[in-house]
Amino acid sequence: MNAVAHILNPYLPQRAEVVERVEEGRDIFTLRLRLCDETARAAYRFQPGQFNMLYLIGAGEVAISIVSDPDNPELIDHTIRAVGRVTQGLQQLKAGDALGLRGPFGRGWPLEAARGRGLLLITGGLGCAPTTSMIHYALQRRAQYGPLTVCHGVKHPDDLIYTDRIQTWCGAPDTQVLLTADKGTPEWRGRVGLVTQTLDDVEPELFKGVAMMCGPEPMMRAVAESLLQRGMALNDIYLSLERNMHCAVGHCGHCMFGGKFICKDGPVFSYAEVRTLLAVKGF
Amino acid sequence: MTAQSRLLARADFNALIHALEAQGYRVLGPRERAGAIVFDEITRAEDLPVGRVSAQQPGSYRLEDSGNGRFFDYVHGPESLKRFLFAPEERLWTVSAEGTVSFKETLPEARPVAVIGARACDIAGMQVQDRTFLAGNEKIPPLLKGGHGGIYTDPYYATRRENLFIVAVNCTRSAATCFCASMDTGPRARAGYDLALTELEDDFLVEANSTAGEALLAALPLRNADAGAESAAAEAIEAAAVSQTRRMDTTGIQALLFDNLEHPRWDDVAERCLSCGNCTMVCPTCFCHSETDVTSLDGATSEHRRQWDSCFALDHSYLHGAQIRPQIRQRYRQWLTHKLASWIEQFGTSGCVGCGRCITWCPTGIDLIEEVNAIRATPGAQRAADI
Amino acid sequence: MAQKLRIAVHKFASCDGCQMQFLNLEQDLLTLARQVEIVHFAEATSVMQQGPYDVSFVEGSISTSTDLQRIQQVRAASRMLITIGACATAGGLQALRNWKDHGEFVRAIYARPEYIDSLAQSTPVSAHVKVDAELWGCPIDQQQLKRVLSDVLARITPRIPGESVCMECKRAGNVCVLVTKGEPCLGPVTRTGCGALCPRYERDCYGCFGPQEDGNARALGRRFQALGLSADEIVRRFRFINGWAPAMRAGAQAWEKQKPIIENMD
């Protein structure tokens, strides 16, 4: 009689545990998680650009993108900045601690549309996290994608994270990493200036490829408009948006952006889908 | 509509309540409380707001005596069916950190509930919410399939939805704030109900619209309706439609609103809007909710709860220590553009069913139709500068 | 188990009602006692230990020159400072004096006014030191207090809802007293947290939880005028327990003839 009882409850987290915790920078850390239930762990798959809802007992849930390698879905990495109450709480977790996880949710990066083409990844601040999984994915399948250039901007050189990973990427075939800081220091060996300025140093051929962006919305707008001017097609520019999702399944309304739910229609959108509304302040 | 409609004498109304009770339903119906009509448990016809009508104006609701003995002339109160399906506050699951951490879902009790007195706008509102909370899931009965927008079915909503029996009442009166006729949702209930009643001089015209509704008819002291009764019902409903003075012009509304996101009218309405959220609370389709935890002081257990939220609350657009919509202008614009325009993109239907509750229950009497009309009158107008 | 948190409850100019809400937690106090050490709590114990404190709860407004010094000491000794109640958070009912000539009061009431150490204005704690969280209400609500305590125990920033009373009121299924009776209810511009207590009993809200995060008190004042309130009555609605809170002051301002004697203390 009760058909509802058989429906999977999309609100209910699974138990997960912290396998490892890595300090990435000031108030930035990576939690490597594993689902505790073997069946759930075996069934778990994700696409680069998707996110999980992490639940800290007593504090609540928060949407965090997955930064690890989709070829190894049993270990799920999340890079987190402690800014809100839940992330501050997550910061206190250590290896072996339990938390809740549900996901993955959302539409990730356009793996198929980008296949065979050059990849231009432009990120600002912690925006580098959601693209990391994409970089791993492409480097694992190096032959399937064209040249890869990562442009990453930080406010201050101290904000740079993932330095080991970046080293590895620099050594990968046909791969380039351009780093920039808004303000330099004597030790800083990258560029000084906004991430939009690094586009001047990008091989023009990449503007015929696919761009993927993540970072503050004004930065992404500026970069996207600059890419359009450089001849890139509207539909070849993708960006990952962020909102304070509560449900992650299109029910709670917190992530609405015009007619889109960022949680289920995104978080990755083509610039064509969101260009008009991104220009409207306070929408 | 069924081939043969029947008549239930007003004097026999208790039979309907008792038949529902006999089938195990908790019976809710309109009752007067604190100056308004709300849904509450009823056990007999005398519990209904007999001879009461509502005088509704922007920001004002008064109950008055009609001088007759009709049951359903009150039209409606602040509540729709929403609270019986999408609960104002509920527990979603619990977690225990004692020993091994474990999560336990807490689905609502699957108790059959019958609501007498749902209006066409209420039912239309419910069908709009179905599109949010019910996915095109095969495990949901066809009646409940929303299908358009949802990927995930909300099991809390679905449990209540499955257990709801709806006795619709076709409106034979409209309130001054009603505009369902222009939204094409009423005043006659068209689908989604089990039984529909139309109040006549001494009888109710009764129509069944589901197997459960048909089954209930068998338990009622009915007589066949003649053509005269049916046409009297149709005329009364039509008269209610014609009497509506408010009308929403939805022509090209998506383009109209989205082409005018910097219209000075948003500043104008922000001068009057309290940002209290009442419009969203009484709206039968608003689905926003927030999730919070209530944790025991020893930290051993926690309840994960959700409650109705509103895009008028500042924290609704919270992100990284700031708000995306810090101004009332931006929040009103978010609500109205979503309700009337982007809802269509999301769910293939307007988010407005024309019930007029947001007009009546707005403490300052903001009328969304006037807001739309003002923009329509001066399209392309631009606000001077960002204030 | 982490080390017990050292918690202090300080009193400034107030009636002690918010401290009583702590004591009224009753059996929860036993749970609390297992996890925290209450080292300073005038209403509850004669033990008055010095800082440092992990968390200081502060009741009462800053009303005397001694208060001015003491609040700096409390802040310096506390890792986290949370105000409790209308007095500490908004200046309290005693801030009504902020619109009057304080010296005149003192001279009229006390035989030896020179003995009176009282500031011209009663001000919230946040006007003087950094505040980490504010619990509103006159008095504060126990459920909110418990939530804040469990957040503090979990060492996360407390979340205190800032939405309107109306939202709580509608969820509870109350009928709106403003719309059905024309009562001058402050619910639309008042912060949630009380459980919509007054409207539940068909009474208009008088704003004891302070302003909601971003309401529109001016517009509500215009509505009150349309309901028949005089300018003076509208001023009195807004200028009450939380009258010195900026949003309530703004609500009254359009209607008030008398400006505060001393402007801009905060």
Side-chain angles (χ1 to χ4, degrees):
Chain A
M1 168 68 200
N2 192 351
V4 176
H6 305 292
I7 295 169
L8 185 72
N9 189 335
Y11 285 90
L12 191 68
Q14 300 259 4
R15 184 161 60 97
E17 63 178 3
V18 179
V19 178
E20 196 188 340
R21 180 206 151 94
V22 180
E23 296 306 312
E24 305 280 8
R26 190 168 27 126
D27 288 335
I28 303 174
F29 54 99
T30 296
L31 293 181
R32 170 163 292 184
L33 306 179
R34 180 170 56 199
L35 289 170
C36 296
D37 179 75
E38 271 182 43
T39 320
R41 190 161 69 221
Y44 188 89
R45 295 283 180 277
F46 69 89
Q47 298 276 312
Q50 286 191 302
F51 66 95
N52 284 322
M53 296 299 289
L54 300 188
Y55 171 74
L56 178 70
I57 295 162
E61 286 189 304
V62 64
I64 306 283
S65 65
I66 308 167
V67 302
S68 52
D69 191 337
D71 289 337
N72 182 10
E74 294 210 347
L75 293 174
I76 318 161
D77 291 358
H78 304 81
T79 297
I80 303 161
R81 187 203 301 273
V83 280
R85 52 183 256 123
V86 180
T87 48
Q88 282 167 1
L90 290 170
Q91 194 177 18
Q92 298 168 34
L93 294 180
K94 45 195 189 310
D97 284 346
L99 70 164
L101 184 154
R102 57 190 179 101
F105 294 111
R107 176 176 69 170
W109 299 110
L111 304 177
E112 294 313 314
R115 215 171 288 275
R117 308 179 65 188
L119 300 179
L120 178 57
L121 274 67
I122 306 142
T123 59
L126 201 59
C128 57
T131 57
T132 305
S133 179
M134 181 66 214
I135 296 170
H136 288 155
Y137 182 89
L139 292 181
Q140 289 287 326
R141 298 158 182 78
R142 197 66 201 89
Q144 296 181 24
Y145 293 93
L148 167 65
T149 293
V150 178
C151 300
H152 180 49
V154 288
K155 275 196 184 132
H156 189 272
D158 290 352
D159 297 335
L160 186 70
I161 62 165
Y162 291 165
T163 45
D164 292 349
R165 292 184 203 217
I166 290 169
Q167 281 297 325
T168 315
W169 300 340
C170 287
D174 213 3
T175 302
Q176 190 187 17
V177 181
L178 305 175
L179 296 178
T180 185
D182 293 357
K183 280 183 187 162
T185 53
E187 300 80 39
W188 177 248
R189 286 183 299 161
R191 289 157 174 73
V192 175
L194 298 175
V195 74
T196 35
Q197 293 169 291
T198 61
L199 295 179
D200 294 336
D201 301 330
V202 169
E203 289 294 326
E205 196 190 318
L206 271 162
F207 299 123
K208 298 190 186 91
V210 173
M212 303 183 189
M213 291 188 284
C214 190
E217 284 176 21
M219 174 224 112
M220 290 198 286
R221 257 191 81 214
V223 171
E225 292 299 323
S226 178
L227 290 173
L228 289 175
Q229 282 170 17
R230 290 164 200 265
M232 205 164 211
L234 252 184
N235 280 314
D236 284 333
I237 303 171
Y238 291 85
L239 39 87
S240 181
L241 295 179
E242 191 181 10
R243 288 293 183 274
N244 182 29
M245 296 134 183
H246 285 216
C247 76
V249 293
H251 293 168
C252 81
H254 284 88
C255 70
M256 250 177 314
F257 189 62
K260 306 278 189 286
F261 288 98
I262 288 174
C263 68
K264 69 183 179 75
D265 302 323
V268 174
F269 293 96
S270 79
Y271 192 46
E273 293 174 289
V274 294
R275 186 186 186 190
T276 317
L277 284 183
L278 268 185
V280 181
K281 202 175 165 202
F283 202 85
Chain B
M1 248 192 276
T2 48
Q4 173 64 59
S5 30
R6 302 344 125 81
L7 291 174
L8 173 71
R10 187 181 284 119
D12 288 334
F13 197 84
N14 280 336
L16 173 63
I17 299 172
H18 296 150
L20 287 164
E21 285 171 344
Q23 295 202 4
Y25 289 101
R26 176 183 173 222
V27 183
L28 304 175
R31 293 190 77 151
E32 185 170 340
R33 169 160 61 81
I37 304 301
V38 296
F39 287 111
D40 207 343
E41 288 199 29
I42 55 167
T43 56
R44 57 207 179 112
E46 291 76 39
D47 293 336
L48 299 171
V50 181
R52 298 291 268 169
V53 291
S54 64
Q56 301 192 38
Q57 290 295 336
S60 172
Y61 184 102
R62 298 286 187 281
L63 287 175
E64 295 165 357
D65 280 323
S66 66
N68 66 45
R70 290 166 68 88
F71 292 175
F72 293 102
D73 274 357
Y74 66 90
V75 185
H76 58 11
E79 296 174 347
S80 62
L81 289 172
K82 179 164 83 169
R83 64 190 304 113
F84 305 113
L85 296 167
F86 168 38
E89 265 183 286
E90 70 182 310
R91 191 174 62 185
L92 298 179
W93 42 262
T94 58
V95 59
S96 166
E98 281 171 327
T100 308
V101 167
S102 62
F103 296 92
K104 189 166 167 282
E105 70 175 346
T106 50
L107 287 174
E109 188 192 3
R111 182 174 176 193
V113 172
V115 176
I116 297 176
R119 306 299 173 137
C121 56
D122 299 334
I123 296 165
M126 175 188 75
Q127 290 177 316
V128 170
Q129 279 212 330
D130 283 353
R131 296 179 188 226
T132 296
F133 291 120
L134 304 178
N137 191 318
E138 284 176 10
K139 286 171 180 157
I140 298 284
L143 166 72
L144 307 190
K145 274 193 184 179
H148 193 87
I151 304 174
Y152 299 92
T153 285
D154 178 317
Y156 308 88
Y157 181 94
T159 299
R160 298 194 182 90
R161 182 77 169 82
E162 208 175 45
N163 287 286
L164 183 65
F165 184 99
I166 297 173
V167 182
V169 168
N170 293 320
C171 290
T172 51
R173 249 181 98 91
S174 291
T177 47
C178 291
F179 58 101
C180 64
S182 67
M183 295 309 293
D184 201 25
T185 56
R188 180 194 285 278
R190 287 176 211 156
Y193 59 87
D194 296 285
L195 285 182
L197 308 177
T198 309
E199 191 163 17
L200 302 173
E201 202 63 30
D202 299 305
D203 301 288
F204 290 96
L205 187 78
V206 187
E207 295 155 280
N209 187 49
S210 71
T211 316
E214 288 286 356
L216 199 85
L217 288 187
L220 299 179
L222 302 172
R223 56 188 205 280
N224 285 342
D226 56 22
E230 287 185 4
S231 61
E235 279 165 27
I237 296 166
E238 180 57 22
V242 169
S243 76
Q244 290 181 7
T245 51
R246 279 188 163 73
R247 191 179 170 281
M248 174 75 84
D249 179 2
T250 56
T251 317
I253 194 134
Q254 285 169 280
L256 177 75
L257 295 182
F258 276 92
D259 288 347
N260 285 285
L261 295 176
E262 301 297 346
H263 197 282
R265 187 68 181 190
W266 303 116
D267 294 294
D268 187 277
V269 71
E271 280 294 304
R272 291 169 278 133
C273 174
L274 305 172
S275 204
C276 61
N278 273 302
C279 48
T280 57
M281 297 290 106
V282 296
C283 178
T285 70
C286 274
F287 55 77
C288 281
H289 60 263
S290 56
E291 296 179 27
T292 49
D293 272 65
V294 181
T295 309
S296 63
L297 274 180
D298 60 7
T301 57
S302 192
E303 288 190 358
H304 191 71
R305 304 183 66 87
R306 76 168 165 198
Q307 61 181 19
W308 289 354
D309 198 356
S310 168
C311 52
F312 284 95
L314 189 62
D315 262 0
H316 185 275
S317 67
Y318 173 90
L319 185 65
H320 300 324
Q323 286 85 17
I324 289 168
R325 293 183 283 276
Q327 301 171 353
I328 294 180
R329 174 183 80 92
Q330 295 159 342
R331 299 201 290 279
Y332 189 88
R333 182 178 69 181
Q334 170 68 19
W335 179 68
L336 198 74
T337 55
H338 182 226
K339 186 68 43 189
L340 298 175
S342 40
W343 210 293
I344 300 170
E345 181 185 343
Q346 287 172 332
F347 298 109
T349 179
S350 176
C352 177
V353 295
C355 70
R357 285 188 176 94
C358 59
I359 306 173
T360 299
W361 298 96
C362 171
T364 59
I366 295 171
D367 178 347
L368 79 171
I369 297 176
E370 279 180 20
E371 301 313 312
V372 172
N373 289 347
I375 291 172
R376 201 181 281 286
T378 53
Q382 293 283 319
R383 62 204 302 255
D386 203 2
I387 302 164
Chain C
M1 185 89 231
Q3 211 185 347
K4 280 188 175 183
L5 288 177
R6 285 169 59 86
I7 287 188
V9 183
H10 308 273
K11 173 188 162 59
F12 286 79
S14 59
C15 76
D16 294 19
C18 294
Q19 291 186 69
M20 291 304 292
Q21 293 293 74
F22 261 92
L23 297 178
N24 291 341
L25 288 174
E26 296 178 352
Q27 68 256 40
D28 288 318
L29 280 174
L30 297 174
T31 314
L32 199 60
R34 282 195 287 272
Q35 301 180 76
V36 305
E37 198 185 343
I38 296 174
V39 293
H40 183 116
F41 192 166
E43 186 71 30
T45 165
S46 53
V47 181
M48 302 284 234
Q49 291 185 35
Q50 297 298 308
Y53 313 110
D54 289 306
V55 185
S56 278
F57 290 93
V58 177
E59 179 197 79
S61 69
I62 307 305
S63 190
T64 66
S65 53
T66 318
D67 289 347
L68 272 175
Q69 290 165 7
R70 193 158 59 94
I71 193 63
Q72 297 292 342
Q73 290 161 2
V74 167
R75 176 69 265 189
S78 311
R79 191 167 53 81
M80 188 176 218
L81 190 159
I82 300 173
T83 60
I84 52 171
C87 301
T89 310
L93 195 62
Q94 58 271 32
L96 286 177
R97 75 162 179 253
N98 299 2
W99 282 273
K100 300 284 182 185
D101 183 346
H102 165 258
E104 193 185 311
F105 284 159
V106 176
R107 286 188 297 276
I109 294 164
Y110 299 98
R112 302 290 300 272
E114 64 271 25
Y115 288 146
I116 303 300
D117 167 28
S118 174
L119 299 171
Q121 295 198 321
S122 166
T123 47
V125 174
S126 62
H128 307 280
V129 297
K130 177 176 173 281
V131 171
D132 298 299
E134 296 179 322
L135 259 176
W136 292 83
C138 181
I140 55 168
D141 174 74
Q142 279 193 359
Q143 294 308 315
Q144 279 207 342
L145 176 61
K146 277 166 72 173
R147 284 190 179 204
V148 165
L149 283 168
S150 62
D151 285 348
V152 163
L153 290 169
R155 289 165 172 77
I156 55 178
T157 309
R159 183 190 153 274
I160 295 157
E163 67 192 30
S164 73
V165 169
C166 299
M167 290 181 48
E168 203 166 16
C169 205
K170 283 286 188 291
R171 284 184 208 117
N174 298 334
V175 171
C176 180
V177 298
L178 197 160
V179 170
T180 60
K181 297 191 178 77
E183 298 284 347
C185 182
L186 280 176
V189 299
T190 301
R191 181 179 287 255
T192 191
C194 60
L197 195 56
C198 295
R200 201 198 307 164
Y201 294 99
E202 299 180 44
R203 296 282 301 274
D204 46 322
C205 165
Y206 56 85
C208 74
F209 265 66
Q212 64 133 312
E213 257 176 342
D214 192 34
N216 186 346
R218 289 173 208 271
L220 187 61
R222 288 195 294 273
R223 180 70 180 127
F224 289 172
Q225 187 188 37
L227 291 173
L229 268 67
S230 67
D232 192 46
E233 285 168 325
I234 297 168
V235 170
R236 282 163 191 272
R237 288 302 289 171
F238 289 113
R239 198 189 288 169
F240 192 40
I241 291 169
N242 287 288
W244 197 241
M248 292 298 184
R249 253 150 68 186
Q253 200 172 20
W255 314 90
E256 70 194 12
K257 293 182 227 91
Q258 188 179 16
K259 301 292 179 201
I261 297 295
I262 302 165
E263 289 281 356
N264 294 327
M265 264 291 283
D266 57 351

